[in-house]
Amino acid sequence: MTDEKNKKNKDFAELLRESKLKVTAPRLRVLNEITQKDAAISQPDLEKIIGKDIDRVTLYRILSSFEEKGIVHKIFDLNGTATYAMCTSNCTENHHHDQHVHFICSICNSVYCLNEVSLPRINLPTRFTLHSLAINAVGLCSSCQKED
Amino acid sequence: MTDEKNKKNKDFAELLRESKLKVTAPRLRVLNEITQKDAAISQPDLEKIIGKDIDRVTLYRILSSFEEKGIVHKIFDLNGTATYAMCTSNCTENHHHDQHVHFICSICNSVYCLNEVSLPRINLPTRFTLHSLAINAVGLCSSCQKED
DNA sequence: TTAAGTGCAAAATCTTTGCAAATGT
DNA sequence: ACATTTGCAAAGATTTTGCACTTAA
């Protein structure tokens, strides 16, 4: 995977411009926080970290515009809370293409995107037409294994 | 799959007794509604159907006790809304064993449990320990295919 | 009889909407 | 300049909590 392949490594201002979003401080801040950790981050956690630097409503709007533009994708953790992670570069507006397996730790609830794991083939009954697969592997992450 | 294998076909009063829950009218009503349709049903949809026969708070409590006792399991649809479907008989209190593929229609958002589809094998990086897989196949259900 | 379950009111959260002020291009 | 974006206030929706009344066993 080249640097270009993953939006994580792009220049954030450039990324916003490409998505036809204005380059604003709150947006840059959110991009910074999302890429800070290896795991996907939820809106509540972002809110905790960002504190009152950014209004809660603005955060909602930033996240949904990022999702719409294909900058981040949403993964639901085990509690059904949405978490956000950067998309890979083949996502565009309203069209997410970055199918990959997600790992969710059943203890700390962290969500990881596993781009290196290959997607399995699934045979559906003929009454269904398959468009995409959302696969969540649930188990223990490395830090939670140690503490068992 | 025998009739015994699926809680759908059990006597509801018996099912509640086995789970050490009292047999009450609201609980029987909820079980009836959940098994009415082929697809899983959300709390909001249940609420619409049941109307004011059952208090909203009671519905919340019934659903979470059912989930805890392994009577139903929760699947998140594409909007992150929890939907509920009957478990198979190998689920017990606090221990859900009915791993199976779910199908979610991207148009009508219906969630189906596909017990007949076999689970794939996934190879995770060694830093993760796999406990279970949650697989959502997304696409078109038979009714939504026709209308395309 | 009595522990469990229900319904109602109210609190606590979470999410959306409307609009005036601020900001990026 | 002008369309976007932000922040604040307020509305709306969802979920939880507390408690008195009811009901199943």
Side-chain angles (χ1 to χ4, degrees):
Chain A
M1 203 182 327
T2 69
D3 278 7
E4 274 301 302
K5 192 93 201 277
N6 195 314
K7 287 178 181 171
K8 237 176 175 167
N9 303 309
K10 273 190 191 167
D11 177 64
F12 294 147
E14 175 58 18
L15 177 56
L16 290 172
R17 264 179 240 114
E18 281 174 9
S19 304
K20 288 170 194 154
L21 294 175
K22 291 191 175 168
V23 180
T24 66
R27 284 177 176 155
L28 291 173
R29 176 74 192 280
V30 171
L31 287 174
N32 260 298
E33 297 300 347
I34 291 180
T35 50
Q36 212 54 233
K37 302 199 181 68
D38 197 19
I41 187 164
S42 66
Q43 187 278 336
D45 285 351
L46 272 171
E47 205 178 311
K48 268 170 232 148
I49 293 169
I50 291 173
K52 54 179 228 41
D53 296 356
I54 302 176
D55 187 76
R56 182 201 288 251
V57 174
T58 302
L59 182 52
Y60 276 112
R61 289 194 272 225
I62 287 177
L63 289 173
S64 62
S65 71
F66 282 4
E67 202 202 352
E68 204 176 289
K69 298 293 186 177
I71 294 175
V72 301
H73 63 284
K74 208 193 255 184
I75 313 114
F76 294 104
D77 71 13
L78 299 175
N79 306 317
T81 303
T83 65
Y84 298 88
M86 298 304 286
C87 286
T88 49
S89 64
N90 48 354
C91 294
T92 53
E93 180 157 1
N94 292 316
H95 218 135
H96 287 246
H97 286 290
D98 58 342
Q99 280 188 64
H100 53 255
V101 174
H102 290 113
F103 181 86
I104 308 182
C105 177
S106 56
I107 292 185
C108 68
N109 213 10
S110 295
V111 177
Y112 298 90
C113 298
L114 305 184
N115 290 293
E116 69 273 35
V117 175
S118 57
L119 277 180
R121 195 166 294 284
I122 300 274
N123 286 311
L124 293 183
T126 51
R127 66 183 181 283
F128 298 115
T129 306
L130 181 65
H131 286 173
S132 64
L133 281 177
I135 300 191
N136 291 336
V138 180
L140 298 181
C141 71
S142 46
S143 27
C144 291
Q145 280 176 59
K146 291 169 200 152
E147 290 150 25
D148 262 9
Chain B
M1 204 182 331
T2 69
D3 276 9
E4 275 299 302
K5 194 89 200 282
N6 195 313
K7 288 178 178 167
K8 236 175 174 166
N9 304 307
K10 272 190 189 166
D11 177 62
F12 293 146
E14 174 58 17
L15 175 57
L16 290 172
R17 264 180 240 115
E18 281 173 11
S19 303
K20 288 170 191 149
L21 293 176
K22 291 191 176 169
V23 180
T24 65
R27 285 179 176 154
L28 291 172
R29 176 72 192 281
V30 171
L31 287 173
N32 260 300
E33 297 300 347
I34 291 180
T35 51
Q36 212 54 233
K37 302 200 181 67
D38 198 19
I41 187 163
S42 65
Q43 187 276 337
D45 284 351
L46 273 171
E47 206 178 310
K48 268 170 231 147
I49 293 168
I50 291 173
K52 55 180 228 39
D53 295 358
I54 302 178
D55 186 76
R56 181 203 287 250
V57 174
T58 301
L59 182 53
Y60 276 112
R61 291 194 272 227
I62 287 176
L63 289 173
S64 60
S65 70
F66 282 3
E67 200 201 354
E68 205 177 287
K69 298 292 186 176
I71 295 175
V72 301
H73 62 286
K74 209 192 254 186
I75 314 112
F76 295 104
D77 70 13
L78 299 175
N79 305 318
T81 304
T83 64
Y84 298 89
M86 297 305 285
C87 286
T88 49
S89 63
N90 49 354
C91 294
T92 54
E93 181 158 0
N94 292 317
H95 218 131
H96 287 245
H97 286 290
D98 58 340
Q99 282 189 62
H100 52 255
V101 174
H102 291 115
F103 180 86
I104 308 181
C105 177
S106 56
I107 293 185
C108 67
N109 212 10
S110 295
V111 176
Y112 298 91
C113 298
L114 306 184
N115 290 292
E116 69 272 33
V117 175
S118 57
L119 278 179
R121 193 166 294 286
I122 301 274
N123 287 310
L124 293 184
T126 52
R127 67 184 181 283
F128 298 116
T129 306
L130 182 64
H131 285 174
S132 65
L133 280 178
I135 300 190
N136 291 336
V138 180
L140 298 181
C141 70
S142 47
S143 25
C144 291
Q145 280 176 57
K146 290 169 201 153
E147 288 149 26
D148 263 7

